[in-house]
Amino acid sequence: MGTLTAVFGLIFLLQVSFSIQKSTTEDPYYVAAVVEFAPFKERNCDLCLLTLAQEFERFIKHPNASQVDIMVFPEYILQELAFTFVPSAEEKVIPCEQLDYDYLLTELSCYARTYQKYLVVNVNEKAVCKEGPKCKNGLTEFITNVVFDRKGMVISRYRKTHYFFSEYEKGVLPKPEISTFTTDFGVTFGHLICYDLLFYSPGQALVDQGITDIIYPNYWFQEFPFLSSLQLHQGFAHANDINFLTAGASAPHTQTTGSGIFAGKWGALDQVISEDPDRKMLVAKVPKKNANFKPNPISTSPRYDPLELQARKERIAWKRDANVDHFTTEILETTKSRINKKLCHNDFCCKFDIEMERIDRSGSYLQGYTYRLAAYEGPGTLHRVEKGEFGICAVIACTNNKLFSCGTVFPKDVPHVANDFYFKKINIKGAYTKKDKMIVMPSTVNFAFEPLPADSYKYSKDVSGNVVNFDMTLTKVRSDLLTFGLYGNYYVEKKVKHNVRDEL
Ligand SMILES: *[C@@H]1O[C@H](CO)[C@@H](O)[C@H](O)[C@H]1NC(C)=O
């Protein structure tokens, strides 16, 4: 009897572990995966695409992904390896069955069908064009997200709107595409790709139209103090209280890494930022908007000890935001235990209320950060590619007492980094003039280039006439801050490079 039960039990177990589970419209959550993926470097090999397809499949068929409803891969991991035509959703093409498409598109379509998952991949698209400066031999190029449904059908396509540096060579749409797709588990997703995140359309436009979940393949470049990958991804998700599935390429030695599953005000459900190129899948149960489900976010360790040396990620490359040169700043005096300060840049004012506690580190040789309070409202650049406007109230880390060192991080040849005090509380208030298009996000990042768990700060806004008062409070002790504050992007799109259009 016992043996029989055990045998049936085993059969049952095997069935459960190998069957594909799907969330339905009834479920209060869905299961998402994002894959941090080191780009495919091989060149000039006949079988490159075959190997690459297998790398995709490795994650899609992995037992860890058995419950995954939607899986997102990063931007530009194929590098320049493959260019493919991409059908529009209206064509209702299943490339696994209709073999007019390039190998990779066909394979991915088959994987989506076999493993019954929504797959989001970013490809180099070629498209037929009539004329225009970028129309060469009747073809133009796009950077494109493709979504396959559980039958392998291409149900959505989105072409990147905002190009970064050399991508200007590619084709440009007459106006930004706003692309969405609805799933069988009842969630409608919007698309974004990488640099798009810093502009109103289509990202913020999707949110303002009521989209609550966004997929985001990216190849992000770390920039301090405000635009490191996870810091920005969590900030955008939190300020908008949306689910944000960010899949990042992994090339940390050239500034690129960072993937996560962010659930709005809950913060990160899982995240990764790696020091060396890596391929890693993150899986999480994502709460559907307005459903009754409590997710399991990354939380502040109850044992956080400010006396301990905090983890750093020195092998990840980064750059400094030159806009900092124009900020109004003041060095934070850490000999006092409390600082109450109002700092203004022209008419734009920030209030800081900071409590600190000194740490006795006598005898150990450690180098610590100098902090500055910063206030700024005005023009600047977005990664020095496009012009923008910003409103900023923040505490930022500097490696010495010169302003040019703010937004830089101690390199790995400075082996022992620790501050001789810790923050007990930081409260920052910023009074922003109300605008049609703007985001003011919580911006936090620590020595390990991770945003603070959302349970360690409070972020709120309060509209009063023509003024929006934002409030950001650190509620748990920290000794490893690089940035803490409010990062406002006013979404003014001042094009410095003229995108010439092709006609499709
Ligand atoms: C699968 O999950 C286990 C347990 O969380 C983890 O150790 C492993 O790295 C995961 N494998 C993949 C390919 O994600």
Side-chain angles (χ1 to χ4, degrees):
M1 196 56 187
T3 320
L4 213 58
T5 313
V7 167
F8 280 120
L10 188 63
I11 290 168
F12 178 73
L13 256 179
L14 285 173
Q15 274 181 344
V16 167
S17 58
F18 287 112
S19 70
I20 293 157
Q21 295 175 41
K22 295 179 208 163
S23 302
T24 68
T25 49
E26 308 299 314
D27 290 316
Y29 63 85
Y30 64 91
V31 183
V34 300
V35 185
E36 166 109 353
F37 199 102
F40 202 72
K41 289 280 192 237
E42 289 77 353
R43 289 282 176 281
N44 308 319
C45 50
D46 290 342
L47 303 176
C48 280
L49 285 180
L50 212 118
T51 318
L52 183 62
Q54 283 171 348
E55 272 296 280
F56 279 100
E57 192 187 18
R58 182 161 72 86
F59 291 104
I60 299 163
K61 74 177 182 191
H62 197 278
N64 289 13
S66 66
Q67 286 193 60
V68 167
D69 296 298
I70 181 166
M71 186 179 285
V72 187
F73 289 91
E75 185 195 19
Y76 199 51
I77 52 184
L78 310 176
Q79 308 272 297
E80 303 292 328
L81 200 59
F83 284 85
T84 178
F85 288 110
V86 177
S88 68
E90 291 73 42
E91 294 173 72
K92 297 195 183 314
V93 170
I94 299 177
C96 187
E97 294 162 14
Q98 189 172 322
L99 305 174
D100 308 328
Y101 294 90
D102 285 38
Y103 176 77
L104 201 66
L105 215 66
T106 306
E107 286 300 293
L108 288 163
S109 162
C110 296
Y111 302 154
R113 195 182 66 180
T114 304
Y115 301 104
Q116 298 171 48
K117 295 181 197 315
Y118 288 87
L119 294 185
V120 181
V121 292
N122 182 278
V123 300
N124 302 315
E125 184 191 354
K126 60 187 173 194
V128 174
C129 53
K130 293 202 193 87
E131 60 183 20
K134 294 167 184 171
C135 187
K136 295 182 188 100
N137 303 322
L139 290 177
T140 189
E141 292 170 13
F142 295 105
I143 298 167
T144 305
N145 285 350
V146 187
V147 184
F148 301 93
D149 71 4
R150 300 193 206 259
K151 297 192 189 75
M153 186 185 289
V154 174
I155 55 157
S156 185
R157 171 179 86 182
Y158 165 70
R159 293 160 171 168
K160 187 176 186 177
T161 308
H162 298 279
Y163 286 140
F164 199 66
F165 289 112
S166 58
E167 292 171 358
Y168 281 100
E169 301 294 315
K170 297 189 185 288
V172 175
L173 294 169
K175 61 181 194 159
E177 260 181 343
I178 302 247
S179 194
T180 62
F181 59 96
T182 301
T183 54
D184 62 6
F185 47 92
V187 175
T188 298
F189 290 85
H191 292 257
L192 269 190
I193 303 174
C194 205
Y195 193 47
D196 284 339
L197 184 54
L198 299 179
F199 301 88
Y200 181 77
S201 191
Q204 192 65 41
L206 284 164
V207 176
D208 290 351
Q209 286 169 23
I211 293 293
T212 54
D213 294 69
I214 294 182
I215 47 161
Y216 182 56
N218 67 86
Y219 194 107
W220 197 257
F221 295 92
Q222 314 301 324
E223 186 184 271
F224 289 109
F226 303 107
L227 299 181
S228 65
S229 54
L230 300 179
Q231 168 187 24
L232 173 64
H233 302 169
Q234 176 164 309
F236 182 79
H238 192 158
N240 288 312
D241 198 16
I242 56 158
N243 294 321
F244 198 33
L245 312 182
T246 77
S250 182
H253 307 156
T254 48
Q255 306 177 354
T256 296
T257 170
S259 304
I261 300 174
F262 300 93
K265 61 179 192 291
W266 297 99
L269 305 183
D270 203 355
Q271 64 189 11
V272 61
I273 182 155
S274 46
E275 286 195 277
D276 295 303
D278 197 6
R279 291 184 181 161
K280 189 169 186 224
M281 177 169 64
L282 310 176
V283 177
K285 284 183 179 164
V286 181
K288 286 184 192 166
K289 217 50 205 222
N290 303 321
N292 187 17
F293 179 74
K294 194 177 174 301
N296 185 21
I298 294 175
S299 59
T300 310
S301 163
R303 296 185 318 278
Y304 182 84
D305 178 2
L307 276 162
E308 267 177 31
L309 285 189
Q310 304 296 328
R312 296 158 66 204
K313 297 248 168 90
E314 307 98 334
R315 291 199 297 282
I316 300 175
W318 47 267
K319 61 178 181 283
R320 174 181 181 268
D321 177 1
N323 297 329
V324 173
D325 300 345
H326 296 306
F327 290 4
T328 298
T329 67
E330 193 171 299
I331 290 182
L332 176 70
E333 289 178 59
T334 57
T335 49
K336 297 187 177 150
S337 60
R338 184 150 189 194
I339 297 285
N340 229 311
K341 196 102 222 172
K342 183 174 170 183
L343 197 65
C344 299
H345 179 264
N346 301 329
D347 295 336
F348 179 77
C349 296
C350 312
K351 286 184 190 154
F352 297 87
D353 184 358
I354 301 175
E355 287 175 40
M356 293 153 287
E357 185 86 33
R358 301 215 44 102
I359 300 173
D360 181 12
R361 294 196 188 272
S362 50
S364 46
Y365 177 75
L366 296 163
Q367 213 163 328
Y369 282 95
T370 301
Y371 289 87
R372 280 183 191 250
L373 314 181
Y376 182 71
E377 185 176 59
T381 74
L382 295 154
H383 276 286
R384 303 190 278 288
V385 173
E386 296 281 348
K387 290 184 178 178
E389 265 177 49
F390 311 92
I392 289 163
C393 292
V395 176
I396 56 177
C398 319
T399 50
N400 60 44
N401 61 12
K402 299 286 197 299
L403 185 59
F404 64 68
S405 79
C406 303
T408 69
V409 178
F410 283 117
K412 60 170 174 271
D413 57 11
V414 178
H416 305 294
V417 175
N419 297 323
D420 55 6
F421 74 98
Y422 62 87
F423 291 101
K424 281 169 77 177
K425 192 189 123 186
I426 301 175
N427 175 252
I428 301 176
K429 290 182 182 6
Y432 288 71
T433 304
K434 199 156 125 191
K435 294 181 173 55
D436 284 346
K437 296 177 179 177
M438 85 167 164
I439 185 170
V440 178
M441 60 179 90
S443 189
T444 67
V445 65
N446 69 11
F447 289 1
F449 297 1
E450 291 164 350
L452 304 191
D455 68 359
S456 62
Y457 62 89
K458 283 203 173 74
Y459 158 84
S460 66
K461 75 171 173 184
D462 178 51
V463 184
S464 152
N466 201 30
V467 176
V468 194
N469 293 299
F470 285 90
D471 197 295
M472 181 73 184
T473 307
L474 178 73
T475 55
K476 300 269 167 77
V477 303
R478 283 316 288 204
S479 64
D480 61 345
L481 294 181
L482 290 178
T483 303
F484 187 88
L486 296 161
Y487 178 77
N489 180 348
Y490 295 167
Y491 291 132
V492 292
E493 297 187 25
K494 294 181 181 161
K495 287 274 178 209
V496 288
K497 294 186 176 119
H498 296 286
N499 288 322
V500 208
R501 289 166 205 146
D502 285 337
E503 253 185 65
L504 295 192

